[in-house]
Every structure is written in C-alpha cells, then in structure tokens.
Amino acid sequence: MEDVMAAVGPRLKHIRQQRECTLARLSEITGISVSTLSRLESGQRKPSLELLLPIAHAHQVPLDELVGAPPVGDPRVRLKPVKRTGMTVVPLTQQPGGLQAFKMVLDRTRCEPDPRTHEGYEWLYVLSGKARLVLAEHDIVLKVGEAAEFDTRLPHWFGSTGDAPVEILSLFGPQGERMHVRAKPAVGR
C-alpha cells in the first residue's frame, strides 16, 4: 500500500503534463490551490479523496487510474436473470435511466402476439433461433445476425416463431435514443 501511495504524486504530475495543463489552470478548474497541487505532486502532501476526486474529474480519468489502484481480483459480473411471461431477461447494464442493454431468451411458447406501446426506442439483434417481430402492420421473421430498430410508441411485440427458443440482444432507450450500428461493407460487395 505504501508503494501505491508513494506513486500517486508522480502519477498526478505525469497525467497533468500529458494533458499539457499547468498547475495554475488545474487550480482554476478544481478550486485547489497551486501550492496544494504542487505538494501533492511532489509527495509532500498526502492524497485524500477530497483532493483526488476534483482532479480526476478535471482530467476525465477514473480515480483508480489516477492513483494506480491495484486490480481488485475477480472480474466476473454477476448478472441476475428475471423470468416473466415466457422469457428470461438478463440486464447487461446496471445504471438506471439512459440506454439499457438486455440479453433475452424467449421460450418457443412465446409466440402469440400481444402488441403494446410505450415511450422509447428499441434495437434488437438475433443471437440464435428465429425471432418474430410484429410492428404496427408488419409481421417480420428475423434470423440469426439480423437486427431491427423501432420507435416503441408503435404497437409492437416480439417473440419466437414457435419452432424453438430465440436469443436476442436488446438495446432500449427510454427517452427515444436511437441506436446506430456502423460497419464497413464486406469486401467484394
């Protein structure tokens, strides 16, 4: 721990210099005096969360990067699936609001359309199986590797074709954010 703490000052100076930021400018942005910043960088002042958070924010870097925190061990994400009405939904994002990502497994029995509407915008990508998408007057079958995007204010429903379960990746923006996938065209097309 002592080694990590001793390296904070030089790391602060290096990050500031990489961004071509002077101590005076960093002081203006953070509200921390030039002398305090200088003492932090030289190791004469012990870093505290109260001082490091505004510096991390000013440099737009995570606090872990700023202090060179050691790895925390197990990198696995523990996802909690939710089962309801013929599908298993695995939330892939944890923060509320904004764009949300889900992996969904739709049972083969989820094949009777029940269109609904709500605010937002959705993007679906079929990982396995065949998905049936009913969107307003359209009734579409999406195969593996195909995607669809739509305004959820239109009556919509998606499920299995009834042949087998289907796995999809869903991105949903509750405020109507649109998803854009950009890919290079395949060679020769």
Side-chain angles (χ1 to χ4, degrees):
M1 184 60 88
E2 280 183 42
D3 292 340
V4 171
M5 294 303 285
V8 170
R11 184 172 282 105
L12 291 173
K13 185 173 184 174
H14 177 74
I15 290 171
R16 179 180 58 79
Q17 289 175 336
Q18 268 187 324
R19 285 162 174 68
E20 298 179 359
C21 183
T22 64
L23 282 172
R25 179 68 183 132
L26 187 57
S27 175
E28 288 174 23
I29 296 168
T30 62
I32 301 168
S33 72
V34 171
S35 65
T36 299
L37 290 170
S38 177
R39 290 189 350 239
L40 274 171
E41 287 183 2
S42 67
Q44 296 173 355
R45 171 89 187 244
K46 192 173 185 177
S48 68
L49 198 54
E50 188 175 62
L51 295 170
L52 294 175
L53 282 175
I55 295 170
H57 185 264
H59 291 316
Q60 295 293 300
V61 297
L63 190 57
D64 285 357
E65 183 179 325
L66 199 64
V67 298
V72 291
D74 190 348
R76 289 179 290 187
V77 176
R78 309 250 192 261
L79 303 173
K80 294 185 172 96
V82 176
K83 293 185 180 202
R84 65 173 184 245
T85 59
M87 67 179 155
T88 302
V89 179
V90 181
L92 302 175
T93 48
Q94 300 298 318
Q95 67 278 8
L99 195 59
Q100 299 290 308
F102 303 93
K103 178 181 179 190
M104 297 180 181
V105 179
L106 311 173
D107 295 346
R108 63 181 286 284
T109 59
R110 182 181 164 90
C111 58
E112 289 299 319
D114 182 18
R116 305 283 169 101
T117 63
H118 52 87
E119 289 294 317
Y121 209 84
E122 189 145 11
W123 180 86
L124 302 175
Y125 179 82
V126 180
L127 298 168
S128 70
K130 291 180 185 175
R132 181 177 175 200
L133 171 63
V134 174
L135 179 62
E137 69 277 358
H138 302 285
D139 193 335
I140 305 162
V141 173
L142 299 169
K143 298 175 185 147
V144 173
E146 291 187 315
E149 65 177 319
F150 53 92
D151 186 328
T152 57
R153 292 176 295 181
L154 293 172
H156 65 282
W157 171 91
F158 52 88
S160 169
T161 58
D163 299 329
V166 61
E167 290 182 273
I168 63 171
L169 180 63
S170 166
L171 298 178
F172 174 72
Q175 281 76 41
E177 296 93 338
R178 292 182 66 123
M179 283 46 85
H180 296 284
V181 178
R182 303 207 194 298
K184 289 182 177 181
V187 177
R189 286 193 181 172

